Amino acid sequence: MNPGAKKILLAGLAFAVVYGLLNSLSNIFLLPSAPIISMRPQIALPMVVGILVHPLAGFITGFAGNMFGDAVYGFGALKFWNWHIANGLMGWIPGLVGYGGIRRIGTVREFGILQMSLVGASAAGVAAAVVLDVFFIHLLTFPYSFPSWILPAFLTDAVNAFILVPVILLLARRIRLTLETRTILMITGLLLVSILATAGAITWAVLDDLVSHSAMVENFYIAAVVSVLLLVAGFIAAIVFVRKVTDPLADLAQAAQAVEQGNYDLPGLAGVSARADELGRLARIFEQMAGKVREREKTLQRQVDELKIIIDRKKQAQDVSEIVETEYFLALKEKARKFRET
Amino acid sequence: MKHDILDLAQCFFYTAADFGKEDAMPEIIAIHSFRGGTGKTNTTANLACLLARKGRRVGVVDTDIQSPGIHVLFNLDPKDAPHTLNDFLWGKCDIGRAVYDVSRILGAEDKEKLFLIPSSIRTGDIARVLHYGYDINLLKEGYQKAIEQFALDYLFIDTHPGLNEETLMSIAVADTLLILLRPDQQDYQGTAVTVEVSRQLEVPRMFLIVNKVPTAFPGDALAAKVTAAYNCDVAGVLPHADEMMALGSSGLFCLMHPNTALGRAMEDILRRITA
C-alpha cells in the first residue's frame, strides 16, 4: 500500500484537527511544576498516523495539529513554531520504521524497534525544539528550563507513546499475536504497571503536600527519570529474555521446514541442541528424528535401486507372436490402419 | 425419426456452442492393464473428471463388458440408463441414446462436461455380447459419432484387463494408450506383452502409468527403471493413497482430495498426455 500525495495530505490534515483540539483541551491539565507542558496522551495520534498511513502524514498531523492547538488555546499559531517541528518529527520518525518494511509486527525484534522508535522520536523531537530555541527563539533558559520544560516534555511524550501506540496498533491488528509478541506484550505490561505505580505514588505524594511542593519537585524528576530508565532497561532485558526463548523456536521451525523439503542436514539447529534446557532436548529429539527419516528414505531409495523388473524376453516374444499371428489380429491391424489413414 | 431430429438439433447446438473455440482434434484415450486390480477404472474416472473440471468436454466409455463398474464412480444408477453400449453394438439403438450426462458429480455449476456410455450390467446382455462379439468398424463409428454429436474433446475408454479380442479393439481405436501397472512382479511380464502387442497395432502414442506405489517411494527413480525396462514413456507414478481405499469407489478421489500427493500426480499425468 502506497497512498498517493493527496491522500497523505488529507489524512495528515484531518488528524491534525483532532490532534490540535486534543492538545488545546489537555492544556487544562498541566504537569506538576511544568508551566506549559501538559499530560499528553494524544501524542500517540501523530505517531499512529505516521505508522499506519505514511510518515509524512504523521509529520503533517504533528506539525499542523500543534499549530492549530496553540492557536485555539491562545498561544498564537506561530509563537512556539519550534515545537510544531518537534511534534512533526514525533509523527514522522516512528512512521519511518513502519514504512521501512515492518508491515505487521510479529516478532520481538520488530516490537523492540517500534518501541525504541517511539522513545527515540520523543527524544529527537524535544532535542530539535531545544536546538531551534537556542538559535532562534531564546525562550529557554538554562539550567532552569531543563526540569521545567524540556524533561517533562520528553517524559510525557515518551511514556504515553510507549503505552498507547502498541495498544492502538494491537486494536488496528498491526501487531500479530504470535508467541513472541504475546510474551513481550505481557512482560512490557507488567513492567509498566509496576514502574508507573511507583512513579504515580511519588507524584501523588508531591501533589498532596503543597507546602513542600517546590522542595519535592526535584525528587519528583529524579523519580521520573529513574522510572523511564528502569522502563527502558527492563524493556531491553525483556526483549533479550523473550528472544532467548523464541529464537530457538524459529530455528526449530526452520529445521522442520528443511526436513519437509527433504534436506536433513540441520546445521542451524546446532546452537539450540547444545542447550541444556527443554528446548535443547526438543532440538536433539528433532535431530534424531530427521536422522531416522533420512535413513528410511535411503532404505526406500535402495529398495528402488534393487528393484528388478524381470521380464522373460523369450516368453514375451512367444506370447506376443501367439496374439499377433492370429487372423483376427492381422485383420484388426489392417482395419485400424485404414481408419487411422482416413 | 423423432430422435434423429433431436440428435441433429443437439449436434447443431453443440457445434454452435463450440464455434470460435480452438479446434483441437478430439482424442480417444484407452486405459488398459494386463492384470485386474491395477486401478484402471478409478484412474480413468479421475483423469476424465479432472479434464472435465478444466472445461473440456469429456466422454467415458465402459468397454469392460464382462464386468462393468465405472458407472458406480459416476453415480449413474443402471435403472436410469435404459440404453447401453451393448444396445448400440447390437444395432438396437443409436449411440447417442446410450450417452448420459454425469456432470452433476463435478458440482452444481458444471453442466454438459462429462458424459458416460455405460455397459449393461444384465447378465443376459453380457453373455450375448461375449458370445457374438462385435465389429471394430462399428465400434469406431460409434465413438466417432458420439464424439461429433456431443462435441467431445476427449473420449476415455475403460477396458477389460487382459488381451482378449474386445481389448485389442479398444487398443486399436485409441489415439493414446495408457497402460497401468503396479510395482509388482505379477504385472511385469504381462505388461511387456501388452506393450509389444500395442506397438504391433501401431498405436500412435503410448504411456505407462505406475499405480499403487508405496508412499515415499522415490517416484523419479522408479519411473526411470520402468522406462528402461519397457522402452516406453512413463506418464506418471501414482502413490498409494489410503484416502482412495477409504472411498471404496463411493466417490471420486480427485474431487474430494485434490491437494494430496496422488491428486497432484494425476494432474501431472494429464499435463503430460494432453501436451
Side-chain angles (χ1 to χ4, degrees):
Chain A
M1 182 191 68
N2 203 341
K6 200 173 154 193
K7 197 183 158 194
I8 292 171
L9 188 68
L10 282 177
L13 288 176
F15 285 110
V17 173
V18 180
Y19 183 54
L21 289 174
L22 289 172
N23 269 355
S24 58
L25 265 179
S26 71
N27 277 338
I28 299 161
F29 312 103
L30 296 181
L31 283 180
S33 89
I36 294 180
I37 309 298
S38 60
M39 181 73 185
R40 287 158 34 85
Q42 68 271 23
I43 187 61
L45 187 64
M47 290 175 165
V48 168
V49 171
I51 293 166
L52 293 184
V53 184
H54 193 278
L56 287 176
F59 185 88
I60 293 167
T61 300
F63 185 93
N66 202 61
M67 187 191 289
F68 180 58
D70 280 6
V72 171
Y73 190 70
F75 288 149
L78 293 174
K79 189 180 175 196
F80 300 115
W81 60 268
N82 56 328
W83 288 98
H84 306 338
I85 291 176
N87 278 272
L89 286 177
M90 290 182 206
W92 186 59
I93 292 171
L96 288 183
V97 172
Y99 216 67
I102 305 174
R103 283 266 164 266
R104 284 184 83 195
I105 291 159
T107 65
V108 168
R109 190 173 160 273
E110 289 162 355
F111 187 73
I113 291 173
L114 168 77
Q115 296 298 79
M116 288 307 151
S117 81
L118 300 176
V119 176
S122 305
V126 172
V130 170
V131 169
L132 289 170
D133 184 278
V134 170
F135 283 103
F136 301 105
I137 299 172
H138 315 298
L139 269 178
L140 299 173
T141 50
F142 292 93
Y144 168 74
S145 289
F146 191 74
S148 68
W149 202 333
I150 300 167
L151 192 61
F154 166 68
L155 288 177
T156 179
D157 287 345
V159 173
N160 276 310
F162 196 90
I163 299 169
L164 292 173
V165 172
V167 172
I168 295 169
L169 291 185
L170 205 58
L171 293 175
R173 299 186 184 269
R174 285 288 291 256
I175 296 180
R176 272 191 300 135
L177 282 178
T178 59
L179 182 64
E180 295 198 23
T181 53
R182 278 171 204 270
T183 317
I184 192 69
L185 281 169
M186 191 190 71
I187 295 179
T188 310
L190 287 173
L191 203 66
L192 278 169
V193 168
S194 60
I195 290 171
L196 290 182
T198 315
I202 296 170
T203 310
W204 193 253
V206 173
L207 288 176
D208 212 28
D209 190 355
L210 288 173
V211 183
S212 57
H213 188 166
S214 53
M216 288 290 279
V217 161
E218 210 167 308
N219 289 343
F220 167 70
Y221 283 120
I222 291 168
V225 170
V226 168
S227 302
V228 169
L229 286 179
L230 270 177
L231 187 62
V232 171
F235 186 65
I236 291 170
I239 284 179
V240 171
F241 166 75
V242 174
R243 288 196 65 176
K244 267 210 144 95
V245 177
T246 54
D247 279 1
L249 290 179
D251 288 343
L252 275 162
Q254 215 161 28
Q257 201 175 12
V259 170
E260 196 257 332
Q261 289 161 358
N263 182 5
Y264 304 107
D265 286 319
L266 308 169
L269 218 51
V272 189
S273 60
R275 289 165 66 124
D277 61 5
E278 295 91 329
L279 285 167
R281 187 164 158 249
L282 178 60
R284 286 191 294 280
I285 292 173
F286 190 86
E287 281 173 337
Q288 285 166 17
M289 190 189 75
K292 288 253 167 71
V293 173
R294 185 215 306 259
E295 250 168 59
R296 209 164 297 161
E297 191 152 287
K298 270 190 186 159
T299 312
L300 282 167
Q301 182 70 47
R302 206 167 44 239
Q303 278 175 1
V304 170
D305 291 343
E306 286 167 3
L307 179 115
K308 293 241 167 13
I309 300 177
I310 300 162
I311 298 166
D312 183 343
R313 296 293 174 188
K314 208 173 140 194
K315 188 164 186 308
Q316 182 196 5
Q318 204 179 326
D319 288 349
V320 169
S321 67
E322 256 170 42
I323 295 169
V324 302
E325 281 163 19
T326 58
E327 264 175 50
Y328 177 83
F329 187 88
L330 292 171
L332 186 70
K333 188 172 174 177
E334 204 47 48
K335 285 175 187 170
R337 197 175 275 168
K338 242 178 223 151
F339 58 60
R340 276 202 199 102
E341 278 164 7
T342 54
Chain B
M1 187 60 203
K2 194 181 149 207
H3 280 291
D4 284 348
I5 292 171
L6 277 178
D7 289 344
L8 195 71
Q10 202 172 24
C11 181
F12 180 77
F13 172 76
Y14 287 141
T15 317
D18 262 16
F19 189 76
K21 272 191 195 168
E22 54 175 313
D23 206 19
M25 281 285 284
E27 206 176 323
I28 299 178
I29 302 176
I31 296 178
H32 184 61
S33 70
F34 184 76
R35 285 180 58 86
T38 50
K40 217 169 26 290
T41 300
N42 258 309
T43 308
T44 309
N46 279 289
L47 291 178
C49 228
L50 284 173
L51 264 179
R53 264 278 168 90
K54 291 184 199 306
R56 315 313 294 266
R57 298 173 63 89
V58 182
V60 179
V61 194
D62 192 354
T63 66
D64 190 351
I65 287 169
Q66 292 181 43
S67 45
I70 203 165
H71 59 277
V72 177
L73 284 164
F74 287 133
N75 215 359
L76 179 70
D77 190 331
K79 273 186 250 144
D80 299 332
H83 301 282
T84 59
L85 181 66
N86 310 51
D87 298 304
F88 165 71
L89 292 173
W90 302 324
K92 270 174 71 182
C93 78
D94 193 79
I95 188 77
R97 299 189 65 189
V99 180
Y100 298 90
D101 186 344
V102 290
S103 310
R104 64 174 182 282
I105 61 155
L106 298 172
E109 311 92 65
D110 290 292
K111 288 197 176 72
E112 292 171 354
K113 286 280 182 297
L114 189 61
F115 303 89
L116 176 65
I117 304 176
S119 265
S120 173
I121 56 158
R122 287 194 292 269
T123 44
D125 290 353
I126 293 170
R128 191 169 157 193
V129 169
L130 293 179
H131 185 75
Y132 292 105
Y134 50 89
D135 182 64
I136 184 167
N137 282 330
L138 178 65
L139 193 69
K140 176 75 180 177
E141 267 168 39
Y143 289 169
Q144 215 59 51
K145 205 166 170 201
I147 287 171
E148 279 164 24
Q149 195 176 331
F150 291 88
L152 300 178
D153 298 308
Y154 294 95
L155 183 67
F156 282 86
I157 309 178
D158 187 23
T159 63
H160 186 69
L163 282 171
N164 61 20
E165 294 184 357
E166 284 77 27
T167 307
L168 289 174
M169 267 191 245
S170 290
I171 296 174
V173 298
D175 301 307
T176 300
L177 174 65
L178 306 177
I179 302 172
L180 259 77
L181 71 153
R182 292 161 300 181
D184 187 322
Q185 205 58 48
Q186 289 183 53
D187 285 10
Y188 296 149
Q189 186 72 28
T191 302
V193 175
T194 310
V195 169
E196 193 46 43
V197 167
S198 306
R199 267 204 191 111
Q200 301 254 350
L201 268 179
E202 293 159 359
V203 178
R205 296 204 307 160
M206 182 161 50
F207 293 101
L208 293 170
I209 293 174
V210 194
N211 195 18
K212 302 191 178 177
V213 175
T215 37
F217 227 59
D220 292 344
L222 185 61
K225 286 233 156 179
V226 173
T227 307
Y230 295 99
N231 190 23
C232 177
D233 281 341
V234 172
V237 173
L238 297 175
H240 168 89
D242 284 337
E243 296 99 323
M244 175 84 103
M245 298 298 122
L247 274 178
S249 293
S250 67
L252 276 169
F253 182 86
C254 69
L255 299 177
M256 292 172 175
H257 308 282
N259 257 325
T260 53
L262 179 56
R264 286 190 294 269
M266 285 197 186
E267 291 273 2
D268 284 343
I269 289 178
L270 275 189
R271 262 193 292 279
R272 208 155 299 164
I273 63 174
T274 58

